[in-house]
Amino acid sequence: MAGVALLAPSAPPAAPQPRTEPVARRADPVAVHRAAPAPIHRAALAPTPVRRAAPARRADRGAPGRAESVTAAELLARVSACTPVSRGRYRKDQGSRATVTVCGTRDAVFWKADLDIDCDGRPGRRCNARTDPYFSASTAFAQSDGRPLSAEKTPYVVVPAPSTVWNHRAYGVRGGSVAAMVYRDRVRYAVVGDTGPAGIIGEASYAAAESLGIDPDPRTGGASSGVTYIVFRNSKVTPIEDRGAAVAEGKRLAREFVDGDG
């Protein structure tokens, strides 16, 4: 759990979406000049094996890693209207006014806030007790080997601890849930990796901030506003620390979210 003022959507490039190749046109028939028949050899009478072309694949947006990349503008348009799912509002920072509502659809929950740097988890060169005065060597959710996540290596977002304002568990959000983060014209994908204070929202890991082009320094970094967090309900990346899997699944879910009505 981060102790600084907190807040609550490329990584490896996405594989291109398969295209359906156009059916080749048949060549126009060519006039044949009659000539004296050549001697026929028995070998020539054997049928020539026909190599059948494999049927062209149709573009499948549901295949992991094959989804067409979603733009920041598309995602922001999709979350322009808010149906509140929280019973109240969250503060962006300790002592500030509560102004942030958690919104939801059938497929996702989202909020718009700032981004404070969470450096918690396994100590590293950039995230440790020397670089971050509020450093904690644990995260709410562990990676596959049982150790805490690494804020330096794993892009993750922080959700508020369950409270009467909002309980993320009731909306299909858990450790390893896939999140899209939007900042300016950038879209990056992460997982839910930690929980924060019950009354504050708007926080993400060192690696998540870095991927968005935000200063990740735990003392001086972060963004004061303009970050949109979208968490896809009932999604999960296993193992939670698999950054490539988070990107592939995030792309797929983001495309479904933008194209769908839920």
Side-chain angles (χ1 to χ4, degrees):
M1 181 184 301
V4 289
L6 309 168
L7 125 288
S10 281
Q17 182 174 354
R19 297 177 299 174
T20 303
E21 296 296 336
V23 178
R25 295 182 179 178
R26 296 183 179 180
D28 293 330
V30 179
V32 179
H33 297 282
R34 297 185 179 276
I40 299 176
H41 300 281
R42 291 186 177 274
L45 298 177
T48 302
V50 176
R51 189 182 299 274
R52 296 183 180 276
R57 291 184 179 180
R58 293 179 300 173
D60 183 4
R61 285 177 176 169
R66 294 182 178 274
E68 178 185 347
S69 295
V70 170
T71 66
E74 286 179 298
L75 280 171
L76 292 177
R78 186 70 176 83
V79 298
S80 59
C82 175
T83 299
V85 295
S86 59
R87 296 180 180 177
R89 296 180 179 180
Y90 287 95
R91 294 179 174 86
K92 295 179 183 179
D93 299 295
Q94 189 66 44
S96 66
R97 292 190 309 112
T99 59
V100 180
T101 300
V102 178
C103 311
T105 71
R106 182 185 62 204
D107 298 326
V109 294
F110 57 92
W111 56 93
K112 303 175 184 182
D114 60 348
L115 190 152
D116 294 322
I117 307 300
D118 187 329
C119 237
D120 294 345
R122 288 204 325 278
R125 186 167 65 88
R126 300 175 182 86
C127 290
N128 54 64
R130 296 185 305 277
T131 61
D132 182 0
Y134 302 102
F135 176 76
S136 171
S138 64
T139 49
F141 308 106
Q143 60 181 36
S144 57
D145 60 5
R147 295 186 298 168
L149 295 174
S150 167
E152 295 180 16
K153 297 179 179 179
T154 305
Y156 67 74
V157 301
V158 180
V159 294
S163 70
T164 56
V165 176
W166 182 56
N167 184 347
H168 60 269
R169 298 168 185 159
Y171 287 84
V173 175
R174 53 188 169 172
S177 288
V178 183
M181 300 177 297
V182 183
Y183 180 66
R184 296 179 178 171
D185 61 347
R186 300 183 181 97
V187 178
R188 299 293 183 266
Y189 298 99
V191 293
V192 172
D194 204 359
T195 58
I200 297 176
I201 203 167
E203 187 176 11
S205 70
Y206 184 106
E210 189 174 45
S211 73
L212 287 169
I214 295 172
D215 180 1
D217 188 282
R219 291 179 182 268
T220 61
S224 60
S225 63
V227 180
T228 299
Y229 303 78
I230 304 168
V231 182
F232 301 107
R233 298 174 63 175
N234 301 309
S235 63
K236 189 172 180 65
V237 168
T238 304
I240 189 173
E241 68 271 19
D242 190 335
R243 190 167 180 170
V247 171
E249 186 68 354
K251 282 177 167 287
R252 184 184 73 82
L253 292 170
R255 172 51 63 191
E256 288 183 355
F257 182 60
V258 165
D259 290 347
D261 57 2

